[in-house]
Structures are given as structure tokens and as C-alpha cells.
Amino acid sequence: NIKPQLPWTPGHDVAGVVEQVGEGTTKFKPGDRVFTKGSVTGAYAEYTVAEEDTTFRLADRLSFQQGAGIGTPYMTAYRALFHRAHGKPGETVLIHGASGGVGLATVQLAKAHGMVVMGTAGSNEGMELVRKNGASHVFNHREEGYTDKIMEATSGSGVNLIVEMLANVNLEKDLELLARHGRVAVVGNRGPTNINARAAMTKETSIIGVMLYHMDAKELGETVSALYAGFTQGTLSPVVGREYPLEQAGQAHR
């Protein structure tokens, strides 16, 4: 466990109105609607400080609540799909664990990019949410034999790309689900896993790690431009689940 030095304010992703700008700041002025993926002083507060190069204009059609859900989820999803796994229109992508923040962002981005989108969730409610956000095929990953249904949906050829949210549980299954030259982009993992490497050898598939903080300035600029276009055009729309007042923020982590 990582224990920060106290006092400490949690949170990196936040949206709001610029109150004040530092000397030499040229991108923003007081009153601008913005979001950031890198609050310096913490996001669980009425006021926060952020660097200019990690702060971005918030599309007019989005609420501040939606803006607070852009940074980590959408940038991670974009990096996984396009920077790391090089997803292409017409390919079939499976989001393995699609009902969370990163998962739904990945569904929307893949759909907007012309990919055939499949997703999994662990409840009927989650499956409906994934379907509503653009997945053509949705499966319950708690059901026995759900991977057989995925293969049936691809007529036995497998999927081109998997965005994996829980690799320690699913990676071995992923390798079986991939088509020849398929890729698994690992976004989430909670422990060690054992795989049969022959499954990757026989179809010449790839396992690719994804970590948002490795995104360089050029990649960040591309990502923000693509996301802003999607938010403005309406092809991307952050999903807000439950909202909590600041004094009840702890409830959100239970």
C-alpha cells in the first residue's frame, strides 16, 4: 500500500472555471471552462491548482461533472486503442470489462473510429450501459461459456484487438479469443498470471502494456485534439453515474 504524507488531498481529474492564472500563462484566462488530468494540489476541493500544459478547454456541450470524467478514462482509452494497439476502422475490438470509466470511453472511441465493438460486463445493468454506449455485441463475463459466445459472434475467427481491464484473470482467455496477428492492450491488472506462451506463438499475437503517464507531449496534443472533436460533435459523451457532495466523497470509494 502507498500511504501519502499528510495532509493530503486526493484526486487528479477535475473540471471547473479558471479563477486565476499564473504569470506567463497564455492559453487561458479567468472565466474559461476547463478540465485537467493533473491537479497539483488535489481535486477533492473547492479550488485546485494545475499546470497549464495539463489543462484543456472543456467543450461547451459538456457539464463540469462530465469534464471531471475525461482525463484519465478517455486519455487511457485513446492511448490503448490507437497509440499502443494501433486500432483501425473495420477491426473487431473486445473491451474486456467495458462498464467502467475507461471501458465506456473505449467503447465510444472504438465506435466513433469505425470499429466493430464487443464488450463484457458483470450484470444486466452493466451490459445495457455498454450496449447503450455503442457496443454491437455484449456478453456477461460472469456466465459460464461466455468466451464461446464471443467466438461464435466472430464466426470462429476471433477478435483483432482486446482492451483488457483485469489481465490477471483474463489474459489466458484473451490469447484464445484473438485472431491471427491480434493484440491485447493491458490497461488493468491486479496480480500475477500464468499463460501458455504457445497460444501467442501459434497466431503470432502480441501482449501490449498501456500506461498513461508515458504519453509524450506530441501524443498528448493528438489525443486532446481528437477528444475535443468527439465531444464537440457528440460522438463522445462521458457517462456520469452517481454524484456525491464533497463531504461524502469517501462513499465513492466503498
Side-chain angles (χ1 to χ4, degrees):
N1 294 332
I2 299 174
K3 294 183 178 180
Q5 184 175 351
L6 301 178
W8 175 72
T9 302
H12 296 287
D13 294 357
V14 64
V17 176
V18 175
E19 177 76 12
Q20 189 176 6
V21 298
E23 184 178 349
T25 299
T26 58
K27 282 174 57 179
F28 304 106
K29 64 183 185 305
D32 285 346
R33 300 173 77 250
V34 298
F35 73 94
T36 181
K37 72 175 185 66
S39 169
V40 175
T41 56
Y44 287 24
E46 293 178 279
Y47 293 89
T48 190
V49 176
E51 299 286 351
E52 184 179 31
D53 60 359
T54 61
T55 302
F56 313 98
R57 196 168 304 280
L58 181 64
D60 291 339
R61 63 181 299 275
L62 298 185
S63 67
F64 293 125
Q65 291 89 336
Q66 289 177 300
I70 293 175
T72 299
Y74 279 85
M75 291 184 182
T76 299
Y78 192 92
R79 182 164 184 78
L81 278 174
F82 306 121
H83 290 159
R84 300 293 294 135
H86 306 292
K88 300 178 180 64
E91 288 192 313
T92 298
V93 57
L94 169 67
I95 295 90
H96 214 159
S99 59
V102 177
L104 292 174
T106 308
V107 169
Q108 293 178 11
L109 279 164
K111 179 73 172 180
H113 201 65
M115 304 177 80
V116 178
V117 184
M118 298 181 173
T120 75
S123 67
N124 290 334
E125 181 182 10
M127 291 172 67
E128 180 58 31
L129 185 60
V130 173
R131 188 177 291 109
K132 183 178 179 181
N133 277 272
S136 302
H137 306 273
V138 184
F139 309 90
N140 188 329
H141 53 227
R142 299 187 190 279
E143 286 185 0
E144 192 74 28
Y146 79 95
T147 55
D148 294 332
K149 294 180 180 179
I150 294 173
M151 289 301 292
E152 289 173 10
T154 67
S155 299
S157 61
V159 299
N160 304 111
L161 170 59
I162 297 175
V163 179
E164 179 55 63
M165 306 299 169
L166 194 59
N168 57 298
V169 173
N170 297 322
L171 189 56
E172 187 172 14
K173 302 173 191 173
D174 292 339
L175 294 177
E176 298 296 334
L177 289 169
L178 285 176
R180 187 180 178 191
H181 298 155
R183 298 91 70 201
V184 181
V186 178
V187 169
N189 184 72
R190 295 182 184 174
T193 185
N194 292 315
I195 63 169
N196 183 351
R198 184 166 292 278
M201 292 166 54
T202 54
K203 291 187 284 188
E204 295 188 319
T205 56
S206 303
I207 301 170
I208 304 165
V210 180
M211 190 61 70
L212 181 58
Y213 65 69
H214 288 309
M215 186 180 285
D216 61 30
K218 182 179 179 181
E219 292 170 332
L220 180 59
E222 174 198 325
T223 301
V224 172
S225 295
L227 293 181
Y228 188 82
F231 295 136
T232 301
Q233 296 164 7
T235 56
L236 303 179
S237 183
V239 177
V240 177
R242 299 183 63 180
E243 297 180 33
Y244 295 87
L246 185 58
E247 61 269 20
Q248 294 179 16
Q251 298 293 324
H253 296 277
R254 295 184 176 178

